[in-house]
Amino acid sequence: MTSYLITGAQPYGEDATDLLLRDGMILAVGAEAVQRSAEQTDLTTLDGEGLIVLPGMVDLHTHLREPGREDAETVETGTRAAALGGFTAVHAMANSSPVADTAGVVEQVHRLGLQAGWSEVYPVGAVTVGLKGEKLAELGAMAESSAQVRMFSDDGHCVADPQLMRRALEYVKSIDGFVAQHAQDPSLTAWGTANAAQMNEGEVSAVLGLPGWPAVAEEAIIARDVLLAQHVGARLHICHVSTAGSVEIIRWAKERGISVTAEVTPHHLLLTDELVRSYDPVYKVNPPLRTQKDVEALRAGLADGTIDVIGTDHAPHPTQDKECEWVQAAMGMTGLETALSVVQHAMVDTGLIGWRRFAEVTSQRPAQIYGHAHQGRPIAAGEPANLILVDPTAVREVRPDAHASKGRNSPFRGLQLPGQVRATFLSGHPVVLDGALATPISSQAGLPGRTGDSRP
C-alpha cells in the first residue's frame, strides 16, 4: 500500500505540520512523520502548504435516489459528488423507489456504496411502511441487516400521528437508534391537496399569491416530538431546521436535558424567500427558504451549539422536474459539492465560527450522533485517515453543469464562492487529488471497501 506524506498543511487552520498516512491510519504527525517517512518503501509526498487539514465530512442527510430514480442520481454519481465535496461518509435517505423500508432494500444501497468506493454509504431506514405514516416499517430487521441501520426517517414526509411517533421512538430506543423527523404538520401546510403550501408564509408569498408555509407547521411538530422524546427517553434528531422559532424550541429542550439533536442545511444559512420573487423553481425546497431573520437565527444557533450539524439535504432532480412552472416543480436542491463553500462563506468568513467548530458541525458531531467509530476523529497519530485538504483562499464560480452529481438544480449557480477541496482521503486512500476525482477505494488491491463501526 502506498504511504502519503502531507507536508506543511494546517490542521483546523492552525500551525502547519506534516502528516504520514499508512494502512488507512495517520501513522505520525510533525517531525516524527518526516522521520518515519524514510522507512516507507512506497511513498508519495503531497505539498500541503496553504491548505487546511480537516476530518472528512459526514452528511446525515443525502438523497441518492437509487433504487428506482436513477435518472435523478445513483449511488455511484452521488458518492462521486460527495468525495469532491469533501464527504467521506453519507447517509442515504429512505425515499427511493422502492422505499428503503425493508432489510433487502437497505442492504442493496449498502452494497452499492461498497462497490462504488468513493465515500462510505449508510442507508437510512424508513420509519413507516412506504413512508405512508400508517404502520411501522421493519425497524428491527433493518437494524440487524448487513447495513446495520441505526437512523430512521420518513424524510419528505412527517410522521404526523403522535401515537405512531411515540411507538417509533420506543422501538428505536431498544436498538440504540434514533428517529430523524421531517417536521411539517401536514394539516397546517394543506399537504396532499390542491392548495398545498408552496413557499414560506409571509410578505413575499402574499405578494406572489402562492400558498404560504407557516413557521408554526415546523415548530409545532418539533415541540410535540421533543416532549415525546423526553417521555420515552429516546433520541430524536430534527432534520433541516429552518425557522427562528424552531431554534428556540430546540434550545429550550436541550436546557432541560432532552436528547434532541438538530441539523441545518447550507441553503437555509444563506438564502431567503426574497429569491422566490423570480419564480425560478430552483429555489423551491422543503422546508422552504425563510426570511433574513430566520437565517440569522439559524447561524447563531449553529454557532452556539443549539444546532448540532450541517446536513446537506442533497436532493437532485431531473431537469424536466425542475425546469417547469413553479407549482408543478419538484422540491429540492443539490448540495454535496457546494456545502463546504457555502458554510465557509456564511459562517467561517463572517467570523461566526472557526475551522475547529466547522469540523465539529460537519464531521465530529454527525459521526457521534450516528455512532461511527472511525469517522469524525481527531487529526492525530493512531487515528483513521479519513481526511480532506481544503484551500480556503480559492474562489470558484458554481457551475452545476460541471458537477459530478446528475442533479443540476443548484440554487448557487453563478455565485462566486470561497474554498475548494483539493484532496479527500478515504481510509488513507486519495479518492480526490488536485481537486479532481482520482480512483475509488474499492478498485485498489489490498484496500478494504469500508472499515467497520464499533456498535455497543
Side-chain angles (χ1 to χ4, degrees):
M1 175 185 276
T2 302
S3 300
Y4 294 90
L5 177 66
I6 303 170
T7 62
Q10 300 170 266
Y12 309 105
E14 298 167 3
D15 294 338
T17 191
D18 304 320
L19 296 90
L20 181 62
L21 314 184
R22 176 77 181 181
D23 296 331
M25 306 294 289
I26 302 174
L27 188 61
V29 177
E32 185 182 359
V34 177
Q35 294 169 3
R36 298 196 64 176
S37 67
E39 306 167 3
Q40 310 304 313
T41 56
D42 190 0
L43 179 70
T44 296
T45 300
L46 301 176
D47 182 6
E49 184 177 356
L51 303 182
I52 294 174
V53 186
L54 297 169
M57 295 162 66
V58 177
D59 188 11
L60 290 177
H61 195 144
T62 309
H63 296 274
L64 296 180
R65 303 302 189 201
E66 193 174 12
R69 286 306 307 269
E70 290 82 359
D71 57 329
E73 192 77 285
T74 66
V75 172
E76 171 76 24
T77 60
T79 54
R80 283 172 175 254
L84 286 167
F87 291 92
T88 51
V90 295
H91 297 72
M93 283 295 178
N95 59 341
S96 52
S97 182
V99 171
D101 56 5
T102 65
V105 178
V106 296
E107 287 181 340
Q108 178 186 0
V109 175
H110 174 232
R111 186 167 55 251
L112 288 168
L114 292 176
Q115 292 169 354
W118 297 104
S119 176
E120 294 188 348
V121 176
Y122 296 89
V124 176
V127 177
T128 68
V129 175
L131 308 178
K132 294 180 179 179
E134 297 172 353
K135 62 179 180 178
L136 292 183
E138 299 176 4
L139 308 184
M142 289 187 281
E144 294 172 2
S145 72
S146 61
Q148 293 185 290
V149 176
R150 291 298 182 273
M151 177 178 176
F152 300 89
S153 180
D154 276 5
D155 184 60
H157 299 79
C158 179
V159 182
D161 184 326
Q163 182 63 24
L164 193 61
M165 185 63 176
R166 174 182 174 172
R167 288 174 53 208
L169 288 167
E170 289 171 338
Y171 201 107
V172 297
K173 180 183 177 182
S174 70
I175 56 177
D176 191 37
F178 62 99
V179 173
Q181 175 68 294
H182 175 111
Q184 177 194 346
D185 188 322
S187 64
L188 291 174
T189 54
W191 210 237
T193 74
N195 295 316
Q198 294 290 314
M199 65 169 296
N200 178 58
E201 181 180 280
E203 178 183 338
V204 180
S205 66
V207 171
L208 299 182
L210 290 173
W213 195 307
V216 70
E218 175 174 304
E219 296 158 5
I221 294 295
I222 295 175
R224 182 202 74 179
D225 286 353
V226 295
L227 293 175
L228 285 174
Q230 180 184 43
H231 180 71
V232 172
R235 291 198 292 143
L236 170 71
H237 181 73
I238 306 299
C239 296
H240 42 50
V241 173
S242 71
T243 78
S246 295
V247 176
E248 288 305 311
I249 295 167
I250 294 163
R251 184 177 287 119
W252 176 90
K254 287 190 170 187
E255 288 171 351
R256 284 153 182 78
I258 300 173
S259 186
V260 57
T261 55
E263 72 188 29
V264 64
T265 72
H267 50 268
H268 284 115
L269 289 172
L270 187 60
L271 309 178
T272 74
D273 60 354
E274 288 291 332
L275 292 165
V276 182
R277 292 182 187 273
S278 67
Y279 282 107
D280 187 340
V282 76
Y283 301 118
K284 187 177 181 180
V285 66
N286 181 349
L289 300 178
R290 303 287 187 178
T291 68
Q292 186 61 39
K293 177 183 176 181
D294 293 307
V295 168
E296 291 169 1
L298 293 169
R299 291 183 180 187
L302 185 65
D304 69 20
T306 302
I307 297 175
D308 298 83
V309 302
I310 297 292
T312 69
D313 196 7
H314 174 76
H317 291 290
T319 301
Q320 66 271 19
D321 289 354
K322 289 296 279 188
E323 294 186 4
C324 55
E325 66 177 84
W326 178 278
V327 174
Q328 300 301 320
M331 293 182 173
M333 303 168 167
T334 59
L336 287 171
E337 292 168 80
T338 52
L340 183 142
S341 293
V342 174
V343 178
Q344 179 183 335
H345 176 65
M347 299 297 298
V348 179
D349 290 354
T350 56
L352 290 172
I353 64 172
W355 286 108
R356 277 195 177 270
R357 176 65 180 155
F358 178 95
E360 289 176 3
V361 301
T362 62
S363 183
Q364 179 182 336
R365 280 296 287 145
Q368 290 173 345
I369 289 168
Y370 193 88
H372 297 304
H374 62 286
Q375 294 283 354
R377 299 296 302 163
I379 300 172
E383 295 287 354
N386 294 309
L387 303 169
I388 58 175
L389 296 177
V390 177
D391 180 357
T393 66
V395 177
R396 297 179 300 154
E397 179 182 345
V398 178
R399 294 180 53 234
D401 59 328
H403 286 173
S405 169
K406 284 190 174 184
R408 299 292 177 257
N409 51 306
S410 171
F412 309 110
R413 62 187 179 194
L415 295 184
Q416 298 284 333
L417 291 176
Q420 181 180 9
V421 175
R422 295 296 189 192
T424 301
F425 286 87
L426 179 61
S427 294
H429 172 72
V431 292
V432 171
L433 279 176
D434 296 323
L437 290 169
T439 54
I441 196 168
S442 58
S443 70
Q444 302 302 297
L447 284 178
R450 185 173 96 177
T451 50
D453 279 333
S454 295
R455 299 285 185 191

